[in-house]
Amino acid sequence: MSDRVLVIGLDGATWTALDPLMAEGRMPALASLVERGFRAPLESTVPPVTAPAWSSFITGQNPGRHGIYQFYEIDPWSERALGRGAETFLAEPGVVVNGKALGGPKLWEVASDAGKRCVTINLPMTYPPSPINGLMVTDMLTPPGSKRFTTPPELADDLTDYEIDLTPREKDFSSSDDAFLTRAEQVLDKRGRAIQKLFEREQWDLFVAIFTETDRIQHRYWQYLDPALAWSHGPELEEVRLRVVALYERLDGHLGRLLDAAGDRYRIVLASDHGFGSAAFRRINMPVLAGAIGLGGKPAASSRLAKFGITKKRLYKYLGFLVPDGRLRNAERMARDRALRDVKGKLVKLHDYIGGVWIHAASRGGPVPDDEVPKFRDSIIERLRSLINQGTGTPIVSGALPREMVFTGERVSSAPDVIFFLDDRYGLDPTPHEQALIYKWDPPNSGTHRSDGIFLVAGDGVSKGDPATPLRIEDCAPTILHLLGLPVPGAMDGRVIVEAFGAEFLASRPVQISGGKYTASTGAGAWDSDDDQAEIMERLRGIGYVE
């Protein structure tokens, strides 16, 4: 067998859903691959979200090094922050990131530099397209209608039938089951045909293809895929369940054709960026939480006016005739700065059940003296850990840690000072529907991201067994490079998953570490226009990444 590697990504895939489908004979191609390979759960990033997770897959680095913590800028003090939030103690999503934000040793760059012929198709965090020794088709961050989504540019002419993703309206949970599933099937088939076409074009050294339909389906239909939730739907919904299962059968058909084309000429790596689980029906009121942990602050003037239907957009519209725009913006900035003076910190929602706290230190213009930040941070952590559901007597927060205990690297300071994790029965709500700290609410989505994704490797030299230590998504890039016969850049945090291979293979190919300098991550990506960024923000809002 040559050193060629075929990487198949299933966005959001988890063994929780796939194992029952394989057991029922619904996914024979995947079952055959599992039978001859090494498989394990794959721990995602904190948070387990597409942008930071696939960034770690690409670079072999944790978010503390590559600097991507969400799809958007999360630092409320950054120049790239779009606003301070309706409530002064809540951070608001900032500029959407893209591939320009990502530095470090990118998987395809390392392989291309070594003369390997490479393809990436639909790999998140690859827009805008970049140089590669082969072909690139970009991802969901491609602005709708953009013609600039391939390397080389003329490759787009061969993909006239290709669709990158569902539209925001199709993903916002408001469409009918039939309309949603029909469009998901269409996009899946178009992607599968494009992947097959490019794969068969030549003998590639590294071919990376990502199917994102698994994520889209699981957000909306998790109750039909988790065996533990079989009780939650009656016979009247059986037709929908069968349509959902049929989509996985359809996906397996595409996998089977791709694996048949690969034959024994490629080693196969299968991975997901994160797993899935049930969305929480108990919500945590973030403004109330901010008060409970001592952040201080009060609603901004714009928030109080909004209660009477007077929004900032309306103020600008009607006062713009009387007051120059520059003066309006200066007045807004002065009001915001005054409102921030007493705010000791800001909450940010990193994911449904993961939050962060930014401390408003004096060096950021805040009221907390810099030398008292560690003490204030510890008090926040203690308050978070002591939060109790008074009705059940159980903790609300399962863990709270300083950022340095979660991340490592030169971009740790881009993370909130405190990272906390809710018990998985709860979810954070920045726009609460009730005044209480805890309340019940039916989310529009039945599924949400969880940490445990999937990893599998099959082919010559692979040995079945159990992982020596938990696998992390940062381990994927080093392992793939090792399979290509290349040294692993020392800048990667991950390791080669040596327990997946037999002694003979490892003896013939010891792990090698290389030096080399790489472009540092910036944490932000420039967009061609504000309209492009707004389109992508709307797409992210459609699948629940932005509220």
Side-chain angles (χ1 to χ4, degrees):
M1 177 179 284
S2 70
D3 290 336
R4 297 188 178 97
V5 182
L6 167 61
V7 180
I8 303 171
L10 302 180
D11 199 292
T14 168
W15 298 120
T16 301
L18 296 179
D19 280 340
L21 292 169
M22 287 188 287
E24 293 174 9
R26 306 282 190 174
M27 303 188 76
L30 179 59
S32 175
L33 190 62
V34 169
E35 180 61 29
R36 60 189 177 94
F38 170 95
R39 60 168 268 178
L42 186 68
E43 184 178 336
S44 185
T45 49
V46 176
V49 174
T50 298
W54 284 117
S55 294
S56 290
F57 173 91
I58 289 168
T59 63
Q61 298 179 333
N62 82 98
R65 206 171 305 282
H66 63 59
I68 309 298
Y69 293 95
Q70 246 293 358
F71 274 109
Y72 42 79
E73 172 65 61
I74 63 168
D75 184 351
W77 327 112
S78 165
E79 292 298 320
R80 296 182 294 271
L82 295 183
R84 304 296 187 177
E87 307 287 335
T88 57
F89 39 74
L90 298 185
E92 184 175 291
V95 172
V96 178
V97 301
N98 60 33
K100 289 182 179 179
L102 193 59
K106 300 185 185 74
L107 179 59
W108 68 86
E109 288 183 348
V110 177
S112 293
D113 289 346
K116 302 292 186 180
R117 291 285 288 163
C118 307
V119 174
T120 71
I121 178 167
N122 199 39
L123 176 57
M125 297 300 292
T126 53
Y127 180 84
S130 58
I132 186 172
N133 182 29
L135 308 174
M136 177 178 289
V137 181
T138 58
D139 63 305
M140 62 180 287
L141 294 178
T142 306
S146 174
K147 303 298 183 184
R148 189 167 67 98
F149 68 97
T150 63
T151 300
E154 58 268 22
L155 175 61
D157 297 333
D158 292 340
L159 300 172
T160 54
D161 187 44
Y162 184 72
E163 283 189 83
I164 291 174
D165 205 352
L166 298 170
T167 67
R169 184 175 294 277
E170 289 169 338
K171 290 186 293 188
D172 69 1
F173 309 110
S174 64
S175 58
S176 69
D177 292 320
D178 180 67
F180 178 85
L181 290 167
T182 297
R183 285 289 296 128
E185 291 164 356
Q186 291 171 350
V187 174
L188 169 62
D189 287 345
K190 290 178 179 182
R191 193 180 323 283
R193 288 194 295 268
I195 289 170
Q196 194 77 27
K197 179 179 180 180
L198 296 184
F199 185 69
E200 294 177 355
R201 179 172 288 194
E202 69 173 82
Q203 297 289 311
W204 303 103
D205 295 302
L206 174 63
F207 191 97
V208 183
I210 311 299
F211 290 92
T212 46
E213 288 70 30
T214 38
D215 177 270
R216 309 299 182 257
I217 291 294
Q218 289 167 181
H219 272 295
R220 182 161 175 164
Y221 298 115
W222 180 249
Q223 72 271 30
Y224 301 126
L225 296 165
D226 185 349
L229 299 176
W231 57 270
S232 65
H233 50 86
E236 70 279 3
L237 297 174
E238 183 64 8
E239 183 179 349
V240 176
R241 188 190 74 83
L242 291 175
R243 284 283 302 277
V244 171
V245 170
L247 194 134
Y248 282 79
E249 294 175 317
R250 203 181 200 101
L251 170 63
D252 192 72
H254 289 294
L255 293 179
R257 286 184 286 277
L258 194 56
L259 294 173
D260 286 344
D264 60 1
R265 296 174 294 113
Y266 288 79
R267 292 186 179 91
I268 311 299
V269 172
L270 184 74
S272 67
D273 54 334
H274 53 75
F276 252 83
S278 296
F281 287 82
R282 292 184 179 91
R283 312 306 291 179
I284 300 299
N285 183 324
M286 288 182 68
V288 174
L289 176 63
I293 62 175
L295 299 188
K298 56 186 178 180
S302 60
S303 177
R304 293 193 295 270
L305 289 171
K307 295 179 180 179
F308 301 99
I310 305 173
T311 64
K312 185 173 75 172
K313 185 175 181 180
R314 288 185 175 180
L315 281 173
Y316 273 81
K317 179 180 179 180
Y318 296 115
L319 291 181
F321 292 106
L322 304 173
V323 183
D325 182 71
R327 291 188 179 181
L328 273 178
R329 295 190 182 280
N330 285 336
E332 179 194 1
R333 184 170 56 253
M334 291 173 63
R336 184 182 65 200
D337 291 344
R338 281 197 298 270
L340 278 169
R341 288 173 185 166
D342 297 328
V343 175
K344 296 181 180 179
K346 278 181 172 288
L347 280 175
V348 60
K349 178 179 178 178
L350 294 174
H351 184 50
D352 197 39
Y353 59 96
I354 302 175
V357 182
W358 293 95
I359 294 175
H360 200 189
S363 55
R364 291 169 169 163
V368 182
D370 285 27
D371 60 354
E372 294 183 15
V373 166
K375 181 179 179 181
F376 185 52
R377 180 199 62 198
D378 291 345
S379 73
I380 291 171
I381 291 173
E382 182 60 33
R383 291 187 186 194
L384 283 165
R385 290 173 175 172
S386 64
L387 288 171
I388 298 294
N389 182 327
Q390 298 300 323
T392 63
T394 56
I396 297 170
V397 175
S398 63
L401 298 164
R403 63 190 177 193
E404 292 81 7
M405 292 184 67
V406 181
F407 309 108
T408 60
E410 53 272 21
R411 297 298 306 282
V412 170
S413 61
S414 298
D417 297 276
V418 174
I419 307 295
F420 64 93
F421 305 82
L422 300 181
D423 179 284
D424 60 14
R425 292 168 292 185
Y426 301 94
L428 292 167
D429 195 346
T431 54
H433 298 73
E434 297 186 18
Q435 298 300 313
L437 173 63
I438 306 170
Y439 57 91
K440 290 186 178 180
W441 176 65
D442 290 337
N445 55 306
S446 70
T448 192
H449 299 182
R450 300 293 175 185
S451 183
D452 284 350
I454 66 169
F455 177 82
L456 181 144
V457 59
D460 185 51
V462 172
S463 175
K464 285 193 170 186
D466 296 319
T469 58
L471 307 186
R472 302 179 303 159
I473 195 167
E474 296 97 305
D475 300 332
C476 290
T479 302
I480 293 167
L481 290 172
H482 188 64
L483 288 173
L484 288 170
L486 299 177
V488 177
M492 290 186 172
D493 297 317
R495 66 181 181 91
V496 175
I497 304 170
V498 293
E499 58 267 42
F501 306 103
E504 185 177 345
F505 176 83
L506 292 172
S508 67
R509 183 176 300 184
V511 175
Q512 295 182 310
I513 306 298
S514 67
K517 295 183 179 180
Y518 298 91
T519 304
S521 296
T522 64
W527 293 88
D528 290 343
S529 70
D530 290 342
D531 287 345
D532 282 352
Q533 187 200 199
E535 290 270 13
I536 295 302
M537 183 68 86
E538 187 62 27
R539 177 176 285 176
L540 297 174
R541 187 172 287 111
I543 50 178
Y545 290 134
V546 180
E547 298 184 44

